[in-house]
Amino acid sequence: MMEEDMHRKIHRLHVGVLEVDAGEFVQYRDLGSKIRTPVYAYLIEGGGAEPVLVDTGAGDAAMISAELDRFGLAAADIPTVIFTHLHFDHVGGAAVFPTTTKFAVNRRELEFAASGMMRQDYRLAHIELLLERVHTPGAMWLLDFQGFERQRILPGICVAQAGGHTEGSINVFVDTADGIACLCGDVIQDVHMQVIAPPFQTNHREPRMADNSGASQAADRAAMKAVLGQARWLLPAHDDGFAVEDGRVTGRLSSSKTPGPVEALQ
């Protein structure tokens, strides 16, 4: 009998489109011009373990439900949803999940979301939904961190405080058959413009931060550099997946599955 592959596989789900100012996604880039950017969630499966969803997107319940349906799953079939952070474009489909689904959230991020900081990026309806779950037995899984250590919380899955984008953003690290994948939320939003060819940067391997961050420039850049040094695969919420070697982006994933085939950078 063949031994079951204990590694995880990751599928990218398309769960929305945003129209934003270009200078918001990459600091000082084409200020005043609008760009359209996709919004992604990620389904983690395999490894002999239950499926896990990371983020629920910017769309409504129908959008995340339709994406899960492609894999023969309904919202009630997902035991755990991990949120990288709680901006509206990452929790948009949260209401479709029953309270039997655990929502894993950094406690600090929930505090930050309810504090009024970055208020334009958090929605009252989402905060109310999450706070109601805090008082519903088994519905919330509040994560707490000391420093930036990784915590293994599920088979093949670790989480760690990110240190960038928002006060409580986290990275999700997944064991795959070809190395560690980092689902980095919005710590990096536009890989080409922030990391591969950042504008107005002269220093070696110096990334360009976004302009919609609640962190300092120093913290944001440190968070980006840390992500690049910790994973074989980089999976942002608003860009394609990328391959990473020795802290440098080396190629772009040419499919929505990780691990997957890689195209060389142009």
Side-chain angles (χ1 to χ4, degrees), residues 205 228-229 231-233 242-251 262:
R205 297 198 189 186
L228 292 168
R232 161 69 177 138
W233 304 99
F242 290 82
V244 180
E245 294 180 13
D246 299 324
R248 299 188 67 122
V249 175
T250 58
V262 176

Side-chain angles (χ1 to χ4, degrees), residues 50-69:
E50 295 175 325
V52 175
L53 185 66
V54 176
D55 291 341
T56 61
D60 57 17
M63 185 168 285
I64 188 65
S65 296
E67 284 292 274
L68 290 173
D69 185 61

